[in-house]
Amino acid sequence: MRILLTTHRFAADDAGGTEILADDLARALTARGVHVSWLAAGEPPPPHRRTADDYLSLPAAFADDYPVGWRAQEAEQAHRVERLLAAHPAVDVVHVLHFSRIGLEFLDAPSLARVPVVATLTDYTAVCPDHQLVVRSTGAQCTATTPTRDCLGCLNAPTDAHGDVARWRARNIAWLNNRVQALWTQTPHQETELAKAGIDVGKTVRDRACYGLPDAWAPLATNQGAGRYLLFLGRCSPEKGLHLLLDAFRHSRTELPLVIATVPDDSPYEERMRAVATADPRVRWLPPHSRAEIGPVLAGARALLVPSQWWENHPLVAHEARALGVPVWSSAVPSMHHLADDPGIHLVEDHHDPAAWTRAIDTASEQLAPRVPSFAHRVEDFELLADETLSVYRKAAAR
């Protein structure tokens, strides 16, 4: 079986959850005898980091205000995809994980027009040009049903672009409802929110995120120590709430350091946060780490702090922390409620309030209960996801 896996970019040291999930899937599917071609914008990883059988690279050609002018931009990418595929054997299924730098028009190219499509929605891109349902200017949460005219402010687009963006959103919903044969979402809340926008979630295979784990992390899960620091790990952007966490930490009584490890995302915001962090000698900001290197950093934490101010989609770092037995203190945003029964997940109800996070920091610092790692269980879960994915591929290809 030959699969075309598509994302907006390839996995690299600054990869987010979408790219890491695609990388994990490529590795698992290849091990099951599936030929995986990975299509994305940007440079592919170096040979020693590759997990797919081959990589099809496109230029990151879309304008900053995409989807304004989306038809012409997507048509150009579609022509590039068709030229790339001309040198490859036909594929049996296309699996779309993200399309913000590729578009969807390539699926109507002659070589793919009759190929079945499945999709994993790792965020809200199908209905939100910002991907996260966040209002860029204020950081406030948006909704999947917001009027398209409200999207123009986030895009810094003129009012006459309203129709263009509205047609893009309508195209995405129609694609999911009419072309996609199976669908994975990351949280029950995400699925509910997308359903409000008119997406048919009846074809959903699974509504909970599942990731692989690096083999090198297995020994880390046996560490029963209490941890020597508190940890923030994630993208450095306002919706991740680092500014609120730094404010709360400044007022906490803990003697534990706060270690910060970020993936670059919003340079002006990161510059401000680094300036704030230097005022507190307890804060340490780590240099960039690869995924393999971040394992020991996670394992050494007393707790992982996730002060997100948006509707998270089961953040990868929380999944990894729980696999290693590290407690997680997370904003009680609706998309995290399905994790409330995990004894290692602690939801901070007043997550917009720095004082609530100060209390959480103090409590997390004092928690010395034995760790309960779930590494082997989560590895097994991902193997089941890979089996499930392959089964869906076969059913889709047989129709």
Side-chain angles (χ1 to χ4, degrees):
M1 175 166 275
R2 304 183 71 91
I3 302 301
L4 182 63
L5 192 69
T6 74
T7 58
H8 55 322
R9 58 178 182 165
F10 297 109
D13 287 343
D14 61 348
T18 300
E19 304 88 74
I20 289 174
L21 173 59
D23 204 49
D24 291 342
L25 274 175
R27 181 183 293 107
L29 291 168
T30 300
R32 285 162 172 76
V34 178
H35 185 282
V36 179
S37 297
W38 188 340
L39 172 71
E43 292 297 318
H48 71 279
R49 291 279 302 275
R50 297 184 180 184
T51 56
D53 292 286
D54 54 13
Y55 289 76
L56 308 180
S57 177
L58 297 170
F62 287 0
D64 290 341
D65 62 355
Y66 171 85
V68 175
W70 62 273
R71 287 190 184 278
Q73 296 176 77
E74 290 195 15
E76 290 182 8
Q77 289 289 52
H79 289 309
R80 295 184 181 106
V81 173
E82 186 65 10
R83 288 196 294 270
L84 289 172
L85 293 179
H88 287 74
V91 300
D92 299 298
V93 175
V94 180
H95 190 161
V96 177
L97 278 82
H98 215 287
F99 60 90
S100 63
R101 300 206 297 176
I102 299 176
L104 295 172
E105 292 296 292
F106 75 95
L107 293 168
D108 292 328
S111 59
L112 296 177
R114 296 183 180 277
V115 175
V117 179
V118 300
T120 298
L121 301 183
T122 55
D123 57 19
Y124 297 91
T125 296
V127 295
C128 173
D130 186 58
H131 320 315
Q132 301 172 122
L133 292 183
V134 172
V135 179
R136 292 181 185 176
S137 59
T138 65
Q141 190 67 59
C142 198
T143 69
T145 56
T146 193
T148 301
R149 60 179 173 273
D150 293 346
C151 300
L152 303 181
C154 283
L155 296 169
N156 291 319
T159 55
D160 60 5
H162 171 267
D164 209 12
V165 179
R167 284 187 289 272
W168 175 82
R169 294 176 78 187
R171 186 279 308 267
N172 298 345
I173 294 171
W175 165 72
L176 283 163
N177 290 344
N178 302 327
R179 181 80 188 272
V180 171
Q181 296 188 16
L183 184 66
W184 288 264
T185 60
Q186 304 297 284
T187 71
H189 180 267
Q190 180 201 18
E191 182 185 57
T192 299
E193 189 67 22
L194 292 171
K196 293 177 185 176
I199 293 172
D200 176 12
V201 296
K203 60 184 74 175
T204 303
V205 179
R206 181 187 295 240
D207 66 358
R208 284 165 172 76
C210 186
Y211 301 95
L213 292 164
D215 294 337
W217 289 14
L220 302 174
T222 63
N223 175 18
Q224 294 298 310
R228 303 178 303 279
Y229 46 81
L230 303 172
L231 178 65
F232 173 91
L233 175 61
R235 288 187 294 106
C236 199
S237 54
E239 68 274 9
K240 289 291 185 177
L242 180 57
H243 57 285
L244 185 146
L245 183 63
L246 287 170
D247 187 14
F249 187 74
R250 181 168 57 90
H251 293 94
S252 72
R253 62 175 183 269
T254 184
E255 296 181 359
L256 292 178
L258 171 63
V259 173
I260 300 174
T262 59
V263 174
D265 191 27
D266 184 327
S267 297
Y269 177 80
E270 181 173 347
E271 185 176 347
R272 294 195 302 272
M273 293 306 100
R274 285 182 178 272
V276 172
T278 58
D280 192 327
R282 298 173 297 171
V283 179
R284 302 204 320 257
W285 203 302
L286 298 182
H289 281 57
S290 68
R291 191 186 186 197
E293 294 168 334
I294 210 66
V297 176
L298 258 174
R302 179 75 56 88
L304 175 72
L305 306 177
V306 184
S308 293
Q309 301 298 293
W310 75 292
W311 292 336
E312 278 281 5
N313 281 315
H314 191 130
L316 171 63
V317 291
H319 177 89
E320 294 174 336
R322 295 305 303 129
L324 298 174
V326 178
V328 175
W329 295 75
S330 169
S331 295
V333 291
S335 55
M336 295 294 284
H337 285 174
H338 69 290
L339 299 177
D341 293 335
D342 185 325
I345 299 285
H346 306 271
L347 298 180
V348 180
E349 293 296 338
D350 299 324
H351 59 275
H352 297 300
D353 183 4
W357 274 100
T358 298
R359 293 191 294 270
I361 288 168
D362 290 338
T363 304
S365 300
E366 296 164 1
Q367 189 174 76
L368 300 174
R371 293 183 174 180
V372 183
S374 58
F375 191 90
H377 170 66
R378 291 172 189 266
V379 169
E380 180 182 353
D381 281 350
F382 187 76
E383 292 301 309
L384 291 174
L385 172 68
D387 289 338
E388 171 188 273
T389 302
L390 181 53
S391 176
V392 171
Y393 289 168
R394 287 173 174 156
K395 291 177 182 177
R399 290 180 183 174

